[in-house]
Amino acid sequence: LCYNILTDSTVAVTGQSEYKTMPRYEYLPENLVITSEVTLQGKAYKVVSIDQWAFYACTMLKSVTIPSSVTFIGLSAFQYCENLVNVDIPNSVTTVEGSAFSYTKWYDNLPDGEVYINNTLYRYKGIAPENTQIVVKDGTTRIAGYTFWNQSNIVSIELPQTLTVIEHDAFEGCTQLSSILIPKNVIFIGANAFADCTGLSTMTCIAPTPPTMGQFANPSANSEIFARVDVSNATLYVPAESVDAYKNA
């Protein structure tokens, strides 16, 4: 495997070939076991994350065992690993980014509805029935990118107070969502998080400090949180003592 050195003692598993090349590795064992430590140039490092696109389109993979040292699985890390059936994800993983397991047999075999990976709400699988009301379970800290992408039948979503991060495009295309309450502990909302939520008329954000707004790396991309939403007809409610902070954010 290939690694990116992150710190003096930690590394991330990364791809062998250029970014987004298909596949990222020409050869891997069918049953891949990622070790918790690796020695590079005579020095031991702890494996703490799996980079974005690390195993993109590695169709030779059938099973992956991730060590308990790993806390982060990046965007599209195993996307298009079409023969990946078994994934052993330890409880140590606290962040799973959008599309990490899209187009894998492991994901395809899961039941429709909300898919949780530890404390991350990773995806709503399938098409939500008409007038679906979502209650995100308590203890969830992150909503991954694309989680409710184009789920136009969802009419309400209740978020838990444990939530801290809403990733990019999380609610994009939820056209029947008319209102939402952002809990007090949310510190980050990703680009396009509510893009094309054309029915959204009310948002209440009770976080005392305005959440940081995400930006896409490509400067030409539209990173607006409410892209293609008529915000002139929408109302944002915030704590009275935080009005100035929100105005200046």
Side-chain angles (χ1 to χ4, degrees):
L1 295 179
C2 298
Y3 300 90
N4 278 331
I5 295 177
L6 303 176
T7 71
D8 187 55
S9 60
T10 62
V11 295
V13 180
T14 193
Q16 182 180 46
S17 61
E18 292 296 320
Y19 168 74
K20 222 172 175 179
T21 301
M22 296 177 62
R24 295 300 303 278
Y25 285 89
E26 293 184 3
Y27 170 79
L28 287 170
E30 289 184 353
N31 303 308
L32 177 65
V33 177
I34 300 172
T35 58
S36 61
E37 286 191 354
V38 62
T39 300
L40 303 175
Q41 298 180 334
K43 180 177 173 59
Y45 292 88
K46 183 180 179 181
V47 179
V48 297
S49 64
I50 299 173
D51 270 351
Q52 296 181 357
W53 311 92
F55 296 99
Y56 185 80
C58 289
T59 56
M60 71 288 284
L61 287 178
K62 291 185 177 180
S63 74
V64 173
T65 300
I66 298 169
S68 59
S69 57
V70 169
T71 61
F72 175 93
I73 300 174
L75 178 78
S76 301
F78 295 94
Q79 188 174 16
Y80 287 107
C81 293
E82 296 171 350
N83 295 307
L84 183 59
V85 178
N86 297 311
V87 184
D88 184 2
I89 303 173
N91 292 334
S92 59
V93 174
T94 56
T95 299
V96 182
E97 293 192 329
S99 299
F101 297 99
S102 294
Y103 304 103
T104 65
K105 287 183 179 178
W106 176 82
Y107 177 75
D108 292 345
N109 289 336
L110 295 174
D112 285 355
E114 297 106 304
V115 175
Y116 291 89
I117 301 177
N118 297 338
N119 60 343
T120 296
L121 176 50
Y122 168 70
R123 198 70 182 254
Y124 187 97
K125 184 173 181 283
I127 299 174
E130 290 188 11
N131 299 315
T132 293
Q133 300 179 41
I134 300 290
V135 178
V136 178
K137 70 179 184 181
D138 192 41
T140 301
T141 59
R142 304 179 71 93
I143 296 179
Y146 310 111
T147 292
F148 294 104
W149 187 76
N150 277 357
Q151 293 289 350
S152 58
N153 289 328
I154 292 177
V155 296
S156 69
I157 299 175
E158 182 179 330
L159 304 176
Q161 293 301 313
T162 52
L163 189 68
T164 59
V165 173
I166 298 172
E167 292 186 9
H168 63 91
D169 304 280
F171 302 99
E172 181 174 359
C174 291
T175 55
Q176 291 199 64
L177 190 64
S178 61
S179 65
I180 194 163
L181 188 149
I182 306 298
K184 64 180 180 180
N185 292 314
V186 172
I187 59 173
F188 179 86
I189 301 177
N192 282 189
F194 295 93
D196 295 312
C197 291
T198 52
L200 192 63
S201 60
T202 303
M203 174 179 282
T204 302
C205 187
I206 62 174
T209 300
T212 299
M213 302 289 112
Q215 297 287 322
F216 289 128
N218 183 351
S220 64
N222 186 346
S223 295
E224 293 179 19
I225 304 301
F226 302 102
R228 298 172 297 279
V229 175
D230 185 5
V231 294
S232 65
N233 289 321
T235 303
L236 171 65
Y237 295 97
V238 301
E241 65 275 14
S242 303
V243 170
D244 288 341
Y246 277 83
K247 285 182 177 179
N248 295 325

